[in-house]
Amino acid sequence: MSTIGVGVVGAGWMGHLHARAYARLPHHVTDLPWRPRLVAVADPVRAAGDEHVSRYGFGRAVTDWRELVADPEIAAVSVTSPNSTHREVGVAVAAAGKHLWIEKPVGLTSSDTAAVAAAVHAAGVHATVGFNYRMVPAVARAKRLIDEGTLGRLTHARFRLLTDFAADPHGVLSWRFTREHGGSGVLNDLAVHGVDLIRFLVGDLSAVVADGDRFVPRRPLAVPGASQYARGDADSPAGEVENLDYVSVLGRAGDGVIVTLEASRVAVGDQNDYGFEIHGTEGFVAFDFRRPGELQVAAGRSYVDQPVTTHAAAPGDGDFALFQPGAGNPTGFDDLKVSECAAFLHGIAGNRSGGATIDDALAAARVLDAVEGALRAREWLAVPEPS
Ligand SMILES: NC(=O)c1ccc[n+]([C@@H]2O[C@H](COP(=O)([O-])OP(=O)(O)OC[C@H]3O[C@@H](n4cnc5c(N)ncnc54)[C@H](O)[C@@H]3O)[C@@H](O)[C@H]2O)c1
């Protein structure tokens, strides 16, 4: 089997997941024309790149991503660096004629995402975006039930992304907490995943109103490359948190479905409490990422006292069968990235590709712009149609 040369820009948390996904892909997917070859990783923090070389077998580490993008041996690039880098790196990757697997949110605002989308379309390359929660087999099952009309007409739904990584006030001021590098904070970090799930399962958001706040105003300064999980102490020099810790959005999606979306990075007691409940006139589905192999389903015509059953994700649900032969073996976060990697490489090969596209990222970014506008105006705002 021949190989396709890949590079990874950003050797942090997501860099590890992308690198492992490329490495594991041939274990799970056997119908691609080539297997990934890890040519280079780029990170300004030399030790982070070197660790990727020793753990995953990249050919080399560089400190300037431009060197990686210029490498003729590399045909596909993962962008797993902070949000502020997505526009410049994403545009350069596409302009160099290389395929792009880029992490959400694809820039700081929708103008960044639009620039990357324009470069991708102009170059005719394939792009996949890191909206990994739509790759969960139980979520794929929920989508099928909704599309088949099992829930009747959708009426109202709740989406939540509640976690605690920023709840400790001694958690350091990593790039996520600055406007310059993290953008809108919890919107770009977490709410964007919820927006993608709403679009995937319910339909496009047409109007929003929102409230939000910052609950931890200052944090200890971070060293370059510090993880979002790093801690300082009470005596460390501190800096200001410039973006939101929490947001609550009320919106209309699809055919007028009322949706709520709540996202928090300071939710003490909630760890990766990500999920949804979707109601229709005849049924209901509910999903909790902490129990990824299960989908709660109520379907039938009894309306009142209708029983809820637990469907164990099984072969036939999304990419489940790539990993396990029978129901009840749950899919993990790393598996979702293998699925996304498969969607990326199938897209490059011109096959059907199930992953989120750059146009999905642009649609989600437009919703986030409207949410920010609604937060400022403190009133309902329409989500602008694509121009
Ligand atoms: N899909 C998901 O569920 C998910 C989860 C976490 C993060 N993300 C996204 O992934 C991206 C990275 O987040 P993370 O959690 O891995 O961050 P991280 O802080 O763990 O890692 C970022 C890495 O990028 C490096 N970096 C900084 N500037 C760079 C540059 N100019 N060129 C190359 N590397 C550079 C840093 O040194 C660091 O090693 C973000 O856009 C984030 O929104 C997605």
Side-chain angles (χ1 to χ4, degrees), residues 58-147:
F58 282 89
R60 69 186 195 287
V62 297
T63 52
D64 186 344
W65 59 267
R66 290 168 194 81
E67 195 183 320
L68 183 154
V69 172
D71 187 333
E73 284 193 34
I74 292 176
V77 178
S78 279
V79 178
T80 55
S81 43
N83 304 345
S84 54
T85 64
H86 292 177
R87 179 179 186 146
E88 193 184 5
V89 183
V91 167
V93 167
K98 297 172 197 283
H99 305 285
L100 177 67
W101 180 14
I102 187 164
E103 270 307 327
K104 43 60 60 175
V106 189
L108 299 170
T109 64
S110 69
S111 84
D112 285 353
T113 322
V116 178
V120 162
H121 292 310
V125 294
H126 182 76
T128 293
V129 177
F131 287 128
N132 26 257
Y133 299 112
R134 59 161 75 192
M135 310 307 283
V136 180
V139 174
R141 173 78 172 202
K143 179 166 174 57
R144 198 168 89 212
L145 294 175
I146 291 167
D147 291 350

Side-chain angles (χ1 to χ4, degrees), residues 327-342:
N329 296 292
T331 309
F333 196 173
D334 273 65
D335 297 332
L336 302 183
K337 284 303 188 194
V338 173
S339 267
E340 215 172 86
C341 186

Side-chain angles (χ1 to χ4, degrees), residues 329-363:
N329 296 292
T331 309
F333 196 173
D334 273 65
D335 297 332
L336 302 183
K337 284 303 188 194
V338 173
S339 267
E340 215 172 86
C341 186
F344 179 47
L345 292 206
H346 275 303
I348 296 172
N351 302 335
R352 191 195 65 78
S353 167
T357 66
I358 195 70
D359 294 326
D360 289 316
L362 183 53

Side-chain angles (χ1 to χ4, degrees), residues 6 10 14 44-45 49 57 62 74 92 99 111 125 141-142 146 176 198 225 232 279 294-295 321 350 387:
V6 302
M14 284 303 113
V45 177
V62 297
I74 292 176
H99 305 285
S111 84
V125 294
R141 173 78 172 202
I146 291 167
R176 282 182 159 77
I198 292 170
H279 297 268
E294 295 180 2
L295 184 70
S387 48

